[in-house]
Amino acid sequence: LKWHGKDRATFLEKIVVGDIGGLKDGAGCLSLVTNASGGIIDDTVITNAGDYVYMVVNGATKFGDMKHFQEQLDQFDGDVTMEYLEDSMQLLAIQGPGAAAAVSKLLPDAFDLERMAFMTGTNTTLDGIDGCRITRCGYTGEDGFEIAMPAENAESIAAKLLEDETVNPTGLGARDSLRLEAGLCLYGHDLNETINPVEATLAWTMGGPKGRRRTEGGFLGVEHILKPDGKLQKVAKKRVGIMGMKAPAREGAEIYDVTGETKIGVVTSGTFSPCLKRPIAMGYVDTGLSKAGTEISIKVRGKMQNAAVTKMPFVESRYYRVPE
C-alpha cells in the first residue's frame, strides 16, 4: 500500500500504534493496527518513502485490513488517500548472513549497502529494472532484505538471485522455525483481534514510556492499552517463550502450573528448533506465572511434560548494524 496526501502520517497514527510522523526519510518500523477494543487487526511494516508512506501488510489479512482502513478514512477529515498496488508488484525476501552479498549483484554500482541500516528502505533498480524497492528487514532474526519489483519481472529477478550458488529457495516451514527461534509473532496464531499489544509484549512498538505515542495516544482502542498517564494497562495474560519439554508442543497445547492441576494458558506456536536441536514454543500464560524461570507443565498428546517459561529470542538475533 502507498499512502498519499499531506495528512497521511496524522491519519496513520489513528489506525496504528507507532510514531509514523517521527520517521525520518527512508526509515521504517514494525507497527500494529488496532481495533476499538485494543485488539490487533494486523502487524505491518511502515516506511517513510519521502513523498508517500509505504506500508506492507500480511497477504492473508490484506482485504480485511483495507476494509478497516476505508472505514476509518470515511470518518477522517483530512488530505489522505490509500493506493493498493494489487498484483502490480511482487515481494521477495532474501535472508541470512550472505543476503547482502547476493542482493548487491542486482543493485546499481553506486548503491552503498554497507551504509544501509536495518529497517530502512529506498526506491532503486534491480538487475537494471526500474520501479523496484529494497528494504533492509525480514522476519528471521537475521540480516536480510525484502525486495519489491513489478510483477512481470519477479520471476527473472528470482532466477537471477538463484544463479548465486549461496542462495537457496526456502519454504514457509523454514521461515516459521526461523521466526519462532527469533521470538517473532505470526499473525493469526500468536496475534489476533482479541489480543492487545501489552498482552503480546509488543508495547515497545508504541515507543518508550515518555514517548509521544505513549503520552498522547490517539490511536484506536488506546484506552484498553494505556492508562491516561501513558502507563501500560494491567493484563491478565502475557506472551512468553517456553522450553524444557521433551517433545514439541504444538499450537493449541494446554499449559498448566507446575502441579499440572490448574490450566494457566495455551501454546500458540511450537516447533523443533533446527538451531538449538530441541523443542521450543510460544504461548500465553497468566501474568502471575509469566516470569522467566517459572516452572510449568504442558499437555502434549495427552501426557503432561515439564517445561519452563523462557526469555526470547531463543536464538540471538543478528540484525545488521552500520559500522561506525
Side-chain angles (χ1 to χ4, degrees), residues 141-182:
E142 299 282 344
D143 185 23
F145 303 87
E146 290 186 354
I147 53 176
M149 69 290 296
E152 62 269 22
N153 303 116
E155 196 171 325
S156 68
I157 289 175
K160 189 76 174 179
L161 282 167
L162 289 168
E163 288 177 9
D164 187 327
E165 61 183 18
T166 68
V167 178
N168 294 304
T170 307
L172 287 177
R175 195 287 307 266
D176 195 50
S177 65
L178 284 163
R179 68 92 191 167
L180 185 49
E181 288 175 338

Side-chain angles (χ1 to χ4, degrees), residues 200-282:
T201 61
L202 293 174
W204 60 267
T205 59
M206 297 181 279
K210 296 182 180 177
R212 185 172 62 85
R213 296 314 318 265
R214 286 280 294 270
T215 55
E216 294 180 8
F219 50 86
L220 209 56
V222 64
E223 67 274 15
H224 300 283
I225 299 167
L226 299 175
K227 297 176 181 177
D229 61 1
K231 291 181 179 178
L232 303 178
Q233 292 279 12
K234 290 186 178 180
V235 291
K237 63 181 180 181
K238 280 196 173 180
R239 181 174 65 92
V240 298
I242 305 164
M243 287 181 72
M245 49 279 183
K246 292 180 180 178
R250 305 295 184 180
E251 181 178 2
E254 295 177 339
I255 305 172
Y256 291 79
D257 65 5
V258 70
T259 69
E261 294 177 2
T262 305
K263 184 181 173 184
I264 61 167
V266 65
V267 171
T268 51
S269 288
T271 192
F272 184 85
S273 165
C275 289
L276 299 177
K277 305 290 191 289
R278 65 182 72 175
I280 58 174
M282 184 189 295

Side-chain angles (χ1 to χ4, degrees), residues 87-144:
D87 295 327
S88 65
M89 298 289 286
Q90 293 291 325
L91 197 67
L92 294 172
I94 178 164
Q95 299 284 296
V103 168
S104 66
K105 296 175 183 178
L106 303 185
L107 290 167
D109 292 339
F111 198 105
D112 188 359
L113 264 189
E114 188 179 30
R115 305 309 301 174
M116 186 179 194
F118 196 69
M119 293 304 290
T120 63
T122 186
N123 294 321
T124 185
T125 61
L126 289 169
D127 198 26
I129 295 164
D130 289 327
C132 300
R133 186 170 181 84
I134 182 170
T135 306
R136 194 164 210 154
C137 68
Y139 221 58
T140 62
E142 299 282 344
D143 185 23

